[in-house]
Amino acid sequence: MEWDNDKLRELMEDKSVDFLNKQGGVEGVTQKVGSHLKEGIRGSSVEERKTKYGANEIERRKPATLFELFIDAMKDVVIMILIVAAVVSIVLGGIMCAVHLGEQ
């Protein structure tokens, strides 16, 4: 049984040892893609494989924008705690300043 593009993509993206083991390990995957561990693939099947599986290239993802990185950073618990602490500090500073000015 040979694999299709979706199964190969799943293996590449998952990068899970469990998934690899379920497929029979490296030997199992090699067999399922019609290759050989020591000899690789035959030169005569290269063009056929390019047609079937596509080029041996990983699609490049577009890099995250600065805004996306900022939003992702704001999801961090430590950052949230620091923001809350800063707001509390500003509020208490304002209250203390108002109390101090009221005493004069």
Side-chain angles (χ1 to χ4, degrees), residues 10-84:
E10 183 179 352
L11 176 64
M12 291 292 296
E13 290 175 353
D14 191 11
K15 297 180 183 174
S16 166
V17 174
D18 292 333
F19 181 79
L20 181 65
N21 289 335
K22 287 178 186 175
Q23 306 307 319
V26 175
E27 293 84 7
V29 172
T30 304
Q31 183 180 16
K32 289 175 182 175
V33 297
S35 185
H36 189 274
L37 281 176
K38 293 183 180 178
E39 298 171 14
I41 60 173
R42 292 187 183 97
S44 60
S45 68
V46 172
E47 290 304 318
E48 177 186 332
R49 288 171 181 273
K50 278 187 182 178
T51 303
K52 183 175 182 179
Y53 298 115
N56 187 15
E57 296 175 354
I58 298 175
E59 295 175 13
R60 293 184 186 261
R61 296 180 189 162
K62 72 171 193 159
T65 64
L66 192 57
F67 181 72
E68 291 169 335
L69 292 173
F70 175 78
I71 294 300
D72 191 43
M74 291 298 115
K75 294 177 186 175
D76 187 23
V77 176
V78 174
I79 299 294
M80 289 182 191
I81 291 170
L82 289 172
I83 290 172
V84 169

